[in-house]
Amino acid sequence: MTELILALDFGGTKHTAGLAARGEHTWRGRRQMFSPPGADADLDLAAMLSMGQALLSGQQPAAVGVSFGGPVEYSTGVVRLSHHVPGWENKPLRRIIADAFGAPAFVDNDANLGAIGEHRFGAGQGYDSLLYITVSTGVGGGWVLNGRPWRGHDSMAGEFGHTVVDPNGPPCVCGGRGCVERLAAGPMIARRAREWLSAEPERDTALRRLVKHDLAAIDAQAVAQAAARGDEMAWEALAASARALGQAIGNAANLVNPQRFVLGGGVTKSGARYWDAIRASARSAAMPEVHFDIVPAHLGDDAPLWGAVALVEIETGA
Ligand SMILES: [Zn+2]
């Protein structure tokens, strides 16, 4: 009998639900919606539950895997908090989902699930150890070690984004300074480029033309586009991000010695030169005896959703 697995991904701005059958690698159904402006946890939950019910259209899932865009206490499935949406603090998400669908539920954070998803279905297939890193508006990470997710003592392992690469660097949301997230995430790339262009108002660059002289319109994608057109100032804003990321990867390589680093998220679509800079920086930070490779994620935005499927398969013994 086909066992259906419902996968739910609560993102910062959009929510996605997918329906898969155990052992299959394609969606039987997939739906996505943007989180309404001013949403809180209860609104998002109600929207997600109805999206899940619509996908199931009366069928009973064997289990539900849930990705959440923030820290979750894994053993209880209780959300610690969301940086994006109010009202999530201490929500017993695992119990709520299990009750709503009448099926066992498993809840983990999106980066851990990205790691599990890439390991089972994507760029980590056949690898025993990897660190999955996502670089977008923030920087997250998740470990697979000995073929299993590694969550750490407080379910806080893989907080790669808050490893420090510059102790004298700018303050970070976590209370630290010079974290890799603060130096390498998309908003920082945009901010760096904006500051440099503001400081040289007469300088005509590809980036300035690209945003039609509206510096507020600069985002990391525009910086990458301008860099690809030979804009050296834009490239330097991107390269500073790549160097910080590579340095943190080199540190992680020395500490844990995984086979592979799998990088996803919007910022990692910044071109071959960006990837070369990450690899060079990581290589120079790691010891010569420590070997690894750094590759793009295969599953794109669906990595946490596939990770939710993989989590169910792991936890229910397939
Ligand atoms: Zn930090």
Side-chain angles (χ1 to χ4, degrees):
M1 196 187 96
T2 305
E3 284 192 29
L4 293 175
I5 298 171
L6 179 64
L8 307 174
D9 178 18
F10 290 88
T13 54
K14 58 183 186 243
H15 305 312
T16 317
L19 187 64
R22 187 187 291 278
E24 286 182 9
H25 294 182
T26 52
W27 296 121
R28 294 196 166 196
R30 183 182 177 285
R31 290 183 180 215
Q32 190 166 58
M33 58 166 289
F34 284 93
S35 182
D40 62 15
D42 290 331
L43 270 177
D44 277 351
L45 252 175
M48 187 64 107
L49 293 183
S50 68
M51 202 156 59
Q53 301 291 9
L55 266 182
L56 286 163
S57 61
Q59 302 170 93
Q60 174 63 31
V64 186
V66 183
S67 166
F68 186 78
V72 177
E73 218 296 294
Y74 184 70
S75 61
T76 57
V78 172
V79 171
R80 289 186 200 277
L81 73 145
S82 161
H83 290 296
H84 305 285
V85 182
W88 278 108
E89 292 74 17
N90 301 316
K91 277 260 185 230
L93 185 56
R94 179 175 179 167
R95 201 191 72 216
I96 293 169
I97 297 290
D99 288 350
F101 293 101
F106 305 93
V107 184
D108 205 347
N109 79 62
D110 53 352
N112 283 350
L113 288 177
I116 303 170
E118 288 289 340
H119 180 251
R120 186 163 279 226
F121 300 115
Q125 289 179 79
Y127 284 74
D128 195 45
S129 55
L130 64 85
L131 178 63
Y132 169 78
I133 299 167
T134 171
V135 190
S136 56
T137 53
V139 175
W143 286 107
V144 170
L145 298 176
N146 296 327
R148 308 274 302 176
W150 173 257
R151 300 184 178 87
H153 176 57
D154 292 305
S155 307
M156 291 296 286
E159 283 295 339
F160 174 83
H162 300 285
T163 53
V164 175
V165 290
D166 179 4
N168 301 312
C172 179
V173 286
C174 72
R177 267 186 184 277
C179 296
V180 66
E181 171 167 300
R182 185 64 179 79
L183 298 173
M188 189 57 202
I189 297 170
R191 181 166 158 178
R192 207 178 274 131
R194 211 177 288 130
E195 283 173 3
W196 292 346
L197 280 178
S198 310
E200 295 188 55
E202 302 304 315
R203 185 161 164 180
D204 180 38
T205 71
L207 179 58
R208 200 188 291 276
R209 289 193 296 275
L210 193 67
V211 296
K212 301 187 170 62
H213 298 265
D214 176 11
L215 299 194
I218 293 175
D219 59 12
Q221 201 181 352
V223 176
Q225 277 175 25
R229 293 177 192 178
D231 181 334
E232 279 305 305
M233 185 187 263
W235 163 245
E236 191 42 46
L238 195 58
S241 162
R243 284 192 298 268
L245 199 59
Q247 195 184 336
I249 288 172
N251 290 341
N254 284 341
L255 194 62
V256 181
N257 190 199
Q259 287 168 291
R260 176 161 266 199
F261 293 86
V262 178
L263 273 53
V267 175
T268 64
K269 293 165 187 146
S270 296
R273 200 177 170 196
Y274 170 79
W275 278 85
D276 288 346
I278 293 172
R279 291 186 175 112
S281 166
R283 198 54 270 166
S284 73
M287 294 169 70
E289 297 82 1
V290 175
H291 301 109
F292 54 87
D293 61 9
I294 304 174
V295 300
H298 285 178
L299 302 174
D301 292 345
D302 271 357
L305 206 59
W306 278 114
V309 173
L311 178 64
V312 167
E313 294 186 348
I314 292 168
E315 291 287 1
T316 58

